[in-house]
Amino acid sequence: MADGRQPCPHRIVDDIGGAFTIGAVGGTVWHCIKGARNAPKGTRLRGSLEAVKNRAPVLGGNFAVWGTLFSFFDCSFVYLRKKEDPYNAIASGFCTGAALAARGGVRAATRSGIVGGVLLALIEGAGILLNRAMTSLYEKNQEHALEEQRRMMEFERHRKMKDLGMIDEIPNAPEPKELSPFDSVMAIFSSKSSDSGK
């Protein structure tokens, strides 16, 4: 399993169900509003329900077809290239777009494939940027938590020494800030990982 997704070929079935659900739910919301707006006054509720009943399953089916083709191509590239990376998704987006527009000729298929590849490239790029940003934030919070933990331990050690009369004043007088729950959890995991690495 990579990135939380099912392994091939099971991900094909998983993506079919997910794509149909997204299309059906989105189509329900869209056609509920559209049907109510286009229905004559006094029959808006009925018009909304009719539009949802007639069009939402169709949109869900269209999404399921797209998800089926995309997952099929994705698993094919995983098998051929023996690895999973964003290039598989980009190539799968191109092939899916081209396959869906194949009846329109080579030009239409190529144009649709380029659109599909570009869209998947944008999605994958946004995912990579978000992952890097979250990783950077995690590392900064981890460093902050460890520093605050070190300062708190140092402060407590000097306070005990002062209580025992070993020193007159606590050096670095500013008292450390109390760790937030998130920083405390980060510090615990960091200390455990450092201990296990020894």
Side-chain angles (χ1 to χ4, degrees):
M1 186 180 297
D3 299 330
R5 298 183 67 193
Q6 293 290 333
C8 291
H10 304 291
R11 76 171 54 169
I12 297 177
V13 178
D14 189 58
D15 287 349
I16 292 173
F20 179 82
T21 302
I22 292 173
V25 172
T28 298
V29 175
W30 172 258
H31 289 293
C32 180
I33 298 173
K34 186 177 179 181
R37 292 184 62 183
N38 294 336
K41 191 174 181 180
T43 61
R44 296 192 185 278
L45 179 59
R46 182 178 178 182
S48 175
L49 295 176
E50 285 292 328
V52 170
K53 184 176 72 174
N54 294 331
R55 301 304 304 169
V58 176
L59 188 60
N62 292 337
F63 270 69
V65 171
W66 194 96
T68 303
L69 289 174
F70 178 83
S71 294
F72 172 78
F73 286 120
D74 190 30
C75 287
S76 299
F77 285 120
V78 169
Y79 176 78
L80 293 173
R81 301 182 67 232
K82 306 299 182 185
K83 61 181 179 179
E84 296 200 36
D85 56 23
Y87 294 111
N88 289 342
I90 295 172
S92 300
F94 175 85
C95 293
T96 301
L100 290 174
R103 291 197 307 174
V106 176
R107 182 175 297 180
T110 303
R111 185 166 53 246
S112 180
I114 292 173
V115 171
V118 170
L119 285 176
L120 264 297
L122 292 174
I123 292 172
E124 290 294 325
I128 292 172
L129 291 176
L130 180 61
N131 186 44
R132 288 181 179 177
M134 294 299 293
T135 302
S136 177
L137 180 62
Y138 174 85
E139 291 175 351
K140 288 181 180 179
N141 285 330
Q142 188 179 44
E143 292 175 0
H144 174 70
L146 290 174
E147 179 63 22
E148 288 297 324
Q149 185 185 42
R150 187 193 65 79
R151 289 181 59 196
M152 184 172 291
M153 293 173 63
E154 190 74 9
F155 179 84
E156 289 296 325
R157 186 173 68 86
H158 285 113
R159 187 178 62 81
K160 290 179 180 179
M161 291 174 65
K162 182 181 178 182
D163 293 341
L164 294 173
M166 299 173 65
I167 57 175
D168 295 330
E169 292 184 358
I170 299 178
N172 300 325
E175 189 170 334
K177 300 177 182 177
E178 185 178 353
L179 289 175
S180 65
F182 178 78
D183 290 337
S184 300
V185 172
M186 297 282 291
I188 292 172
F189 279 112
S190 299
S191 61
K192 286 185 178 180
S193 60
S194 61
D195 292 341
S196 61
K198 292 182 180 180

